[in-house]
Amino acid sequence: MYDCPKVREFTGPYLDNELDAVTTQNIAGHIEQCAPCRREMETYRSQDEMLARSIKSVAYDTAKLRNSIEAATIGRRWSASPLWARFLTPRRAIGSVCAVVILAVAILYLPGRMGTTFARPLYEAAAHDHRMCGTEAAAPDWLRSPSSIDELATSYLDQKVSLPLVMGDYRLDRARVCHFSDASFLHIIYKMQTGREASLFIGRRQSGLPLGARSINLDGHTIQLARASDLDVMSTLIGDHLLIATAEESGAATSVLMSALANIRG
Amino acid sequence: MFNRLSRRQREEFESHALVHLNTLVRAAVRLTGSREAAEDAVQETYLQAWKYWRTFQPGTNCRAWLFRILFNVMKKTHRANQEHIVVEEQDLANVLRFDPAKHFEVIEVLEAFDRLAEDQRAVLLMVAVEEMSYKEAAGALGVPVGTVMSRLNRARTRMRRILGRAKAGPLAAGAE
């Protein structure tokens, strides 16, 4: 077993899981019996955790920056040549006509199908509830003070939750419990001064994460992306909870979702 | 600057690189001390990443690759402006939380972090905040693993001293 100076020497790599199994075991054995070394280890561990929490708790609205980057990178492909120039070759022209005919047939014979294929019913329902919350803003069941909202979230999630009051241009506005898709959700709304709103829904996990149009991995979380009319919908699971964020700006939905992930324990 | 990539490569750029935008902005703000400088650095980072996307190896750590570009961009563009790093009021407004004690704690920790030397902040961000391995952090920073260890040791010790929690002691061995 190691002595105290040896353990102190390896404190950093031990905290960062950078040691081999034997050394890790030796240090773990020592700190289990040595209170000063244990305290030392805990001090640095909590300092690191506090730093990570503090830095991750600051949310930035990156929507404008994202638009600018996309325009300069992936979006630039459309400005490389005029759209009509792409259909000049006979083969492409025929292909385009066929595509238009197939699309027209699909629209004529599959009424009501278009627009719902990109999002599962749950995401459509969340988007619908988000739209309704604007017209029901004066309803008496909304909680509006940050302390009441935190209390509601704490009680709903069975854990101490402190929601960020401001996320970029959005400010915590109100919250209530709502029901859709045979389940109840905690509905939290962030609002811009211009009146634009972003919604966060927190519900109980029923099974797996419902599929969206596609999924991405963000900061270690699998996130489903969907589109419901003019709204971006993002969802993920954390512990026993399903989180759904929706807003007109995808940047806002991302900020809301990531901020919730930073503040809710799994 | 336009880079003619295949549709699949563009989709990969979107799903592998653009998803780290928030992480990069968060890190760049803490490293530059300014939202504006951070956004400029991150934008340039993505333009560089786009330019050299063909050289990115799928399956490797895209986040670490982006951080490496970010650090290179910052070395070139930010050196002249980094003498006085402070926590910006604009950032603190975003940290507002209902719990005043927690709010105070966040401010205190961020101020302590911002008082560290730039190389110490960078390595602490990589390892303690972004949870990168020493090897990944070394790759992103373009330094040996031993340097990562020694900078981490100094950063943690200094943070502890600034926060005044206890008398600082050496953490890990390693020479720069």
Side-chain angles (χ1 to χ4, degrees), chain A residues 8 16 48 62 77 218, chain B residues 10 19 22 97 134 156 171:
Chain A
R8 302 285 169 102
D16 300 324
D48 274 8
T62 55
R77 64 190 187 274
L218 203 56
Chain B
R10 288 195 299 266
V19 293
N22 287 353
R97 283 167 182 277
Y134 288 177
R156 281 176 166 142
L171 267 173

Side-chain angles (χ1 to χ4, degrees), chain B residues 90-162:
Chain B
Q90 178 192 348
D91 298 348
L92 294 181
N94 286 335
V95 182
L96 273 174
R97 283 167 182 277
F98 178 68
D99 184 347
K102 198 167 185 181
H103 184 198
F104 179 74
E105 179 190 276
V106 169
I107 294 171
E108 190 182 47
V109 170
L110 290 180
E111 282 181 344
F113 178 79
D114 289 349
R115 285 173 62 188
L116 300 179
E118 188 185 11
D119 58 354
Q120 295 174 5
R121 273 181 283 139
V123 78
L124 208 50
L125 253 176
M126 299 292 95
V127 177
V129 179
E130 301 302 337
E131 298 176 4
M132 284 189 192
S133 68
Y134 288 177
K135 194 177 168 189
E136 287 172 331
L141 292 163
V143 298
V145 169
T147 305
V148 168
M149 290 172 70
S150 59
R151 285 181 185 174
L152 262 178
N153 177 31
R154 284 199 296 274
R156 281 176 166 142
T157 308
R158 178 127 199 267
M159 272 284 285
R160 183 175 175 179
R161 196 174 294 143
I162 294 170

Side-chain angles (χ1 to χ4, degrees), chain B residues 8 18 30 64 70-71 74 79 135 138-140 143 147 151-152:
Chain B
R8 192 170 65 85
L18 283 176
R30 292 269 67 84
L70 175 68
F71 289 130
M74 283 170 49
R79 189 65 70 185
K135 194 177 168 189
V143 298
T147 305
R151 285 181 185 174
L152 262 178

Side-chain angles (χ1 to χ4, degrees), chain A residues 52-206:
Chain A
R53 205 168 51 237
S54 300
I55 287 181
K56 287 181 176 175
S57 71
V58 184
Y60 300 99
D61 182 1
T62 55
K64 280 183 192 164
L65 179 63
R66 172 178 284 275
N67 287 342
S68 160
I69 291 170
E70 284 183 351
T73 55
I74 52 176
R76 285 282 293 270
R77 64 190 187 274
W78 301 115
S79 61
S81 60
L83 190 62
W84 56 266
R86 295 165 179 266
F87 302 97
L88 282 181
T89 63
R91 189 179 292 177
R92 285 189 180 179
I94 293 168
S96 304
V97 170
C98 290
V100 168
V101 169
I102 291 168
L103 190 65
V105 168
I107 292 171
L108 285 172
Y109 286 91
L110 299 172
R113 300 286 296 173
M114 300 303 291
T116 59
T117 52
F118 299 108
R120 291 293 173 106
L122 176 66
Y123 299 143
E124 287 284 3
H128 176 73
D129 209 77
H130 170 76
R131 283 188 213 101
M132 292 304 293
C133 71
T135 56
E136 294 175 359
D141 56 340
W142 289 107
L143 296 178
R144 295 176 190 280
S145 80
S147 57
S148 310
I149 294 173
D150 277 349
E151 269 177 34
L152 177 65
T154 300
S155 141
Y156 192 83
L157 293 164
D158 289 332
Q159 61 176 264
K160 176 72 181 151
V161 178
S162 182
L163 295 161
L165 293 182
V166 179
M167 283 190 304
D169 298 329
Y170 286 82
R171 181 172 287 274
L172 182 61
D173 189 66
R174 59 193 190 275
R176 70 176 177 183
V177 174
C178 65
H179 300 269
F180 56 81
S181 295
D182 297 326
S184 73
F185 292 84
L186 176 60
H187 185 180
I188 300 158
I189 293 181
Y190 284 85
K191 191 172 183 178
M192 284 177 83
Q193 278 190 335
T194 57
R196 185 170 282 189
E197 295 181 327
S199 282
L200 171 68
F201 297 94
I202 304 174
R204 306 277 178 214
R205 175 187 191 145
Q206 302 293 330

